[in-house]
Amino acid sequence: LRLVNTCRDEVCRPIVKLIDREFGLSFNIGGLGGLVNCGTTGFKAAMSHSPEFPCEINGGPPCREIACGALIAIKNDISRGGPVQDDADDLEYVLLKRKIAARRT
């Protein structure tokens, strides 16, 4: 699995397309300025797309999820209740979860 870390800027899209064309589909972990901000949840999501973790997308058995895995995890976390805990190693997930939880109240 190729992890690509580029800025989200449209100027970088041709670079990602070139990588995908040359090496196969990639998983984007980049943020503004190429800062890796995907956190532990983002890396787990990337690993779930890896051939070592088979899924229908890469020739394995059917996947259980048809939506963004992080959004499914957030939905499940919110359903269980409890406060959103800070996690410096997973800031992107925490911020997204807070935003979604706020909309549900």
Side-chain angles (χ1 to χ4, degrees):
L1 175 71
R2 288 115 189 117
L3 300 181
V4 176
N5 180 32
T6 61
C7 180
R8 291 182 180 131
D9 197 306
E10 71 278 358
V11 175
C12 294
R13 288 187 191 141
I15 297 168
V16 175
K17 286 182 181 181
L18 177 63
I19 291 169
D20 288 348
R21 188 171 4 133
E22 292 294 319
F23 302 104
L25 293 177
S26 60
F27 191 93
N28 190 344
I29 61 169
L32 296 175
L35 176 69
V36 176
N37 64 1
C38 64
T40 55
T41 299
F43 279 108
K44 287 178 186 175
M47 293 306 296
S48 74
H49 292 264
S50 170
E52 285 80 31
F53 299 92
C55 179
E56 187 175 54
I57 295 168
N58 50 33
C63 300
R64 292 177 297 156
E65 302 168 353
I66 57 170
C68 171
L71 293 176
I72 292 170
I74 288 171
K75 176 185 171 281
N76 293 337
D77 285 351
I78 291 172
S79 296
R80 284 191 290 274
V84 177
Q85 300 293 325
D86 284 341
D87 184 348
D89 293 328
D90 211 4
L91 188 57
E92 186 177 36
Y93 181 79
V94 170
L95 294 174
L96 181 59
K97 186 175 172 182
R98 278 192 186 143
K99 188 171 279 259
I100 292 171
R103 293 179 137 232
R104 293 188 60 155
T105 58

